[in-house]
Amino acid sequence: MIIQELKLENFRNLSPTTLKFSSSFNYVLGVNGSGKSNLLEAIGLFGLGRSFRASGWRQMLQHEQAFYRLEALCQCDGVEQRGLIYRDQSMRQQQLYFDDERVGSSIAFVDHFPIQDIHPESGQLLIDGPSERRRYLDWGAFHVKRDLFAQAWRRYNQALQQRNHLIKFNEKKKRVVFI
């Protein structure tokens, strides 16, 4: 998937703008505080359905504005696709659109945008525990082999929960169990 164009309105400190991207390589330069990470965050919203930085949507809303709007024009296998993320103060959740049709859930939306972003906070993957690294790799695998990955991921998590339950149960009983 190639992002050809990104329109931003009232998102963080970024002025309303339309950015056009090269199909091969793009780089972003700017002084500290100019919005480089905010641009990465906007792109990441399409791939994650949520911010990698903010815990709440109001942090992404530009000061004294009532809404934010992000629109991405992408090309995937020669087909143009359009995604739209919109949120205003009267809404309980952001509205997501793919090719002008409302999408009901974040997971259905991000399914159309196979983005694995590397951002300033990605360095935490080296510091955080293995569960964070596994989650990052799982997200990439999800976009490559969705159906196969989802089935294996559910089975793995079910087995992990059962294992953890057995460990807790056996610690309470102070018995040793060999599997």
Side-chain angles (χ1 to χ4, degrees), residues 1-6 19-29 36 39-40 43 73 118:
M1 182 190 79
I2 297 169
I3 300 175
Q4 297 176 318
E5 185 178 284
L6 183 66
L19 301 169
K20 296 189 184 281
F21 297 100
S22 166
S23 62
S24 58
F25 184 79
N26 297 278
Y27 59 94
V28 180
L29 298 173
K36 299 177 302 289
L39 176 60
L40 291 176
I43 293 169
L73 177 63
I118 299 172

Side-chain angles (χ1 to χ4, degrees), residues 5 12 19 21 31 47 51 61 63 70 91 111 122 125 127 135 139 148 152 174:
E5 185 178 284
R12 293 210 178 248
L19 301 169
F21 297 100
V31 298
S51 169
L61 184 62
H63 183 65
L70 310 172
M91 298 175 173
D111 192 37
S122 293
L125 290 171
I127 297 167
R135 191 168 70 183
W139 191 249
L148 182 62
K174 298 193 182 210

Side-chain angles (χ1 to χ4, degrees), residues 22-114:
S22 166
S23 62
S24 58
F25 184 79
N26 297 278
Y27 59 94
V28 180
L29 298 173
V31 298
N32 288 345
S34 62
K36 299 177 302 289
S37 294
N38 295 341
L39 176 60
L40 291 176
E41 181 180 23
I43 293 169
L45 278 170
F46 287 91
L48 291 173
R50 60 178 167 74
S51 169
F52 65 80
R53 299 166 69 194
S55 57
W57 74 273
R58 291 186 190 275
Q59 295 171 337
M60 296 181 284
L61 184 62
Q62 200 171 74
H63 183 65
E64 296 184 357
Q65 296 297 323
F67 71 95
Y68 65 80
R69 184 178 190 275
L70 310 172
E71 186 175 351
L73 177 63
C74 305
Q75 190 171 72
C76 186
D77 297 327
V79 178
E80 279 195 353
Q81 302 174 335
R82 186 174 302 277
L84 173 70
I85 300 172
Y86 180 82
R87 177 78 186 249
D88 74 30
Q89 293 180 356
S90 67
M91 298 175 173
R92 292 180 52 186
Q93 61 186 17
Q94 63 188 2
Q95 291 181 353
L96 306 169
Y97 295 87
F98 178 74
D99 284 342
D100 299 323
E101 290 187 29
R102 181 118 189 255
V103 179
S105 70
S106 290
I107 198 72
F109 181 74
V110 301
D111 192 37
H112 298 290
F113 299 96

Side-chain angles (χ1 to χ4, degrees), residues 152-170:
W153 185 80
R154 278 193 287 275
R155 284 197 321 258
Y156 168 77
N157 278 310
Q158 183 179 19
L160 187 62
Q161 288 175 352
Q162 291 172 350
R163 172 194 162 267
N164 290 343
H165 178 73
L166 283 171
I167 290 170
K168 285 180 186 177
F169 178 77
N170 286 325

